[in-house]
Amino acid sequence: MKQIIYSILQYRHSLLRDETFNIGIAFYLPEIDNKVIFFSSPKVSILQNIYADIDFETLTNYLKYIQFNIDNHKIEQQSAIPFDLNFKLYLKKFVLLEDSTVLQFTDPVIISNVDNSEPLEIVKNYIKILLSFKDNDEFTQLKNILYC
């Protein structure tokens, strides 16, 4: 049974409020050469309408920083560590240090691909649900990333 693991990047404007926005998602595909891919929501700019004091330039720079780190640090699977824990450690060590800032990755979630669906279709559906992507050019990009 194949697995896909994901973790959602959430934005929390104030640590005093329990209000978060899903602004990105990272997928780990251990069966496809330990590939990690990251997508940020195309609707992240809506946060400027919600929070007048948001430093949007810094936020977009962080999203670029996360993408850069994922592109430049390959995940190494260690046989004694479950995939989801290994992914969590990878995100903390190489992608975005965990602290009490406004950006946090959620604990990884495992998707069991019991019917052996194409990973592209599974990832597409989760992106639509969790980030409100529309079915257009982003998925051509996704296909190129998964199968290059």
Side-chain angles (χ1 to χ4, degrees):
M1 172 175 23
K2 295 184 178 185
Q3 295 180 333
I4 298 172
I5 298 104
Y6 72 86
S7 180
I8 300 170
L9 180 64
Q10 295 184 324
Y11 174 82
R12 179 177 303 206
H13 188 72
S14 170
L15 297 175
L16 302 175
R17 298 176 65 171
D18 192 28
E19 181 177 75
T20 60
F21 294 90
N22 296 347
I23 64 166
I25 187 166
F27 289 93
Y28 172 38
L29 299 105
E31 282 88 10
I32 303 179
D33 195 31
N34 285 323
K35 189 171 285 287
V36 177
I37 55 176
F38 176 73
F39 282 93
S40 59
S41 174
K43 298 181 179 184
V44 74
S45 61
I46 204 166
L47 293 173
Q48 291 177 299
N49 299 330
I50 299 170
Y51 302 111
D53 62 338
I54 189 171
D55 186 349
F56 191 71
E57 183 178 348
T58 298
L59 178 61
T60 55
N61 284 336
Y62 263 108
L63 292 173
K64 290 175 188 173
Y65 170 80
I66 290 167
Q67 185 66 60
F68 176 84
N69 287 339
I70 286 175
D71 291 345
N72 291 289
H73 293 97
K74 185 158 175 64
I75 192 168
E76 299 295 331
Q77 180 58 39
Q78 300 172 15
S79 59
I81 300 175
F83 287 134
D84 58 332
L85 180 57
N86 195 44
F87 186 43
K88 184 176 185 172
L89 295 172
Y90 165 81
L91 291 173
K92 287 181 181 182
K93 185 175 181 181
F94 297 111
V95 179
L96 184 67
L97 297 175
E98 186 175 359
D99 57 15
S100 58
T101 62
V102 297
L103 292 178
Q104 296 290 318
F105 277 102
T106 62
D107 284 337
V109 175
I110 298 173
I111 306 166
S112 295
N113 187 2
V114 293
D115 62 356
N116 288 322
S117 299
E118 281 292 315
L120 174 64
E121 290 304 313
I122 294 171
V123 170
K124 239 166 95 164
N125 290 332
Y126 274 83
I127 289 171
K128 281 183 188 179
I129 293 167
L130 298 171
L131 294 181
S132 301
F133 267 87
K134 294 182 179 162
D135 198 1
N136 53 23
D137 293 337
E138 289 90 1
F139 296 116
T140 302
Q141 177 189 0
L142 173 62
K143 188 174 183 179
N144 292 337
I145 291 170
L146 282 175
Y147 299 111
C148 63

